[in-house]
């Protein structure tokens, strides 16, 4: 967990002054988008733990996993050592941890690493109540994460236009997503090595290293393939149409089965630990035995 810049307000009553309206305020004018975005993994990225779950907070929508956080002291939280994984339907050691003991973070650590977990999984400023409990402004990644505080827009939509990250171009869009979709090591430093399997989770870093991105003339961004207002499409073949907008004529040098999805070969899944795996967003040609490093890179070309 980690990553986006943290906005911290110590007095909860000041949260409204930050100009956030909440996703429900968007529904009257954007009903269809509100309805579909509410079903996405982003919208369900953070929730209070349910009665059947451990801890106080559940991080993740459960598409792959849910990690739990427990408040253990007025100024300390623990990222629990056991995470629920969909692929096994049960609990195992949390990604990045060595055992089931968990890792303790101080709320006001100078690096603000733990507050950044809440920042990336919620919308708006993070507040701390009178008992020093962390209070997210709005659970999950909702409208105002991408479009900015909307209270003024709700009052007067014509005069107060909202931000559209797409206007920053493909590279800017990818940097925006990369504020949270990135991976750190234990020191908090971002993993940069493209041959490190841990950064398979860092989709924007790997996409930026793809020839598809470098040769797209600023057209290829995260939202080329992923509509942020729709649930994540998990059928690899559904992305073929996006590939064919640039690769209408396939240039395969060996026979390829008619039913194979482009992504299954050119964006193979990379194991990250014993349970998790992520699609390699460094679009390239890979040998079946090595889904992390492209064939051309290993050959020095």
């Amino acid at each position: 967990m980690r990553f986006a810049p943290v906005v911290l307000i110590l007095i909860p009553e000041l949260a409204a002054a930050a100009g956030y309206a909440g996703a429900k305020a968007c529904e009257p004018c954007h009903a269809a988008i509100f309805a579909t975005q509410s079903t996405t993994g982003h919208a369900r990225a953070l929730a209070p733990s349910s009665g059947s779950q451990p801890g106080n907070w559940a991080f993740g929508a459960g598409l792959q996993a849910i990690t739990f956080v427990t408040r253990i002291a007025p100024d300390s939280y623990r990222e629990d050592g056991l995470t629920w994984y969909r692929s096994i339907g049960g609990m195992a050691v949390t990604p990045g941890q060595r055992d089931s003991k968990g890792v303790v973070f101080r709320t006001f650590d100078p690096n603000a690493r733990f507050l950044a977990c809440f920042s990336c999984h919620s919308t708006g400023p993070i507040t701390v109540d009178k008992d020093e409990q962390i209070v997210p402004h709005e659970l999950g990644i909702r409208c105002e994460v991408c479009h900015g505080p909307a209270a003024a827009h709700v009052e007067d939509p014509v005069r107060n236009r909202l931000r559209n990250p797409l206007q920053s171009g493909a590279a800017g869009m990818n940097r925006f997503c990369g504020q949270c979709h990135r991976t750190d090591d234990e020191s908090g430093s971002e993993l940069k090595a493209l041959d490190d399997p841990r950064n398979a989770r860092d989709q924007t870093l790997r996409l930026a290293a793809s020839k598809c991105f470098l040769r797209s003339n600023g057209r290829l961004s995260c939202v080329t393939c992923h509509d942020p207002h729709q649930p994540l499409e998990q059928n690899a073949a559904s992305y073929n149409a996006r590939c064919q907008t640039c690769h209408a004529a396939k240039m395969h040098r060996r026979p390829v089965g008619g039913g194979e999805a482009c992504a299954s070969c050119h964006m193979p899944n990379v194991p990250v630990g014993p349970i998790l795996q992520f699609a390699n967003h460094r679009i390239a040609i890979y040998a079946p035995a090595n889904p992390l490093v492209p064939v051309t890179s290993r050959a020095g070309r």
Side-chain angles (χ1 to χ4, degrees):
M1 297 184 301
R2 191 178 134 70
F3 316 140
V6 177
V7 178
L8 178 65
I9 294 179
L10 298 180
I11 303 174
E13 289 76 8
L14 295 180
Y20 285 82
K24 284 292 290 183
C26 304
E27 183 179 16
C29 295
H30 306 281
I33 290 175
F34 173 84
T36 56
Q37 201 278 332
S38 296
T39 67
T40 64
H42 275 147
R44 296 178 286 113
L46 178 64
S49 295
S50 70
S52 62
Q53 294 174 327
N56 302 111
W57 291 101
F59 283 76
L63 298 179
Q64 286 227 55
I66 301 175
T67 294
F68 304 99
V69 164
T70 303
R71 190 185 189 211
I72 60 172
D75 65 344
S76 300
Y77 284 79
R78 181 183 66 230
E79 182 185 57
D80 290 353
L82 293 177
T83 282
W84 180 87
Y85 294 93
R86 178 171 294 279
S87 62
I88 63 173
M91 308 285 275
V93 173
T94 295
Q97 297 195 27
R98 295 186 177 89
D99 52 42
S100 61
K101 295 178 182 177
V103 176
V104 175
F105 294 90
R106 291 182 59 196
T107 304
F108 300 107
D109 183 279
N111 294 322
R113 293 191 65 200
F114 191 68
L115 290 174
C117 299
F118 280 89
S119 182
C120 270
H121 284 257
S122 67
T123 302
I126 305 299
T127 68
V128 177
D129 69 14
K130 63 181 180 180
D131 295 321
E132 297 189 6
Q133 294 189 90
I134 295 173
V135 182
H137 182 65
E138 183 175 21
L139 299 178
I141 308 304
R142 304 309 308 265
C143 313
E144 290 165 296
V145 168
C146 295
H147 299 294
H153 176 75
V154 171
E155 291 294 324
D156 191 338
V158 175
R159 298 182 64 180
N160 300 295
R161 308 292 291 180
L162 289 178
R163 176 180 68 206
N164 183 349
L166 274 174
Q167 293 175 345
S168 62
M173 181 75 235
N174 295 346
R175 284 193 299 271
F176 180 81
C177 297
Q179 292 179 95
C180 289
H181 287 274
R182 50 180 274 194
T183 309
D184 283 4
D185 64 15
E186 292 179 358
S187 71
S189 299
E190 185 180 3
L191 297 170
K192 297 284 190 179
L194 291 170
D195 60 354
D196 189 328
R198 291 175 296 173
N199 76 15
R201 300 174 67 177
D202 193 332
Q203 295 93 343
T204 57
L205 172 71
R206 302 195 66 80
L207 181 63
S210 302
K211 288 184 178 179
C212 284
F213 172 77
L214 296 171
R215 296 177 180 177
S216 72
N217 295 318
R219 290 182 294 161
L220 182 60
S221 75
C222 304
V223 297
T224 301
C225 298
H226 303 299
D227 184 342
H229 300 132
Q230 298 286 340
L232 177 68
E233 176 57 69
Q234 300 188 72
N235 177 11
S238 69
Y239 295 103
N240 285 0
R242 275 82 157 188
C243 300
Q244 289 164 3
T245 58
C246 293
H247 303 282
K250 300 187 178 97
M251 298 177 288
H252 293 128
R253 298 178 182 176
R254 65 173 180 81
V256 176
E260 287 190 75
C262 305
S264 63
C265 291
H266 299 294
M267 299 177 66
N269 286 333
V270 176
V272 181
I275 301 175
L276 288 177
Q277 57 181 2
F278 294 87
N280 187 350
H281 280 64
R282 187 182 182 185
I283 307 165
I285 299 170
Y286 294 90
N290 191 336
L292 186 63
V293 181
V295 171
T296 51
S297 294
R298 295 200 301 276
R301 298 194 295 272

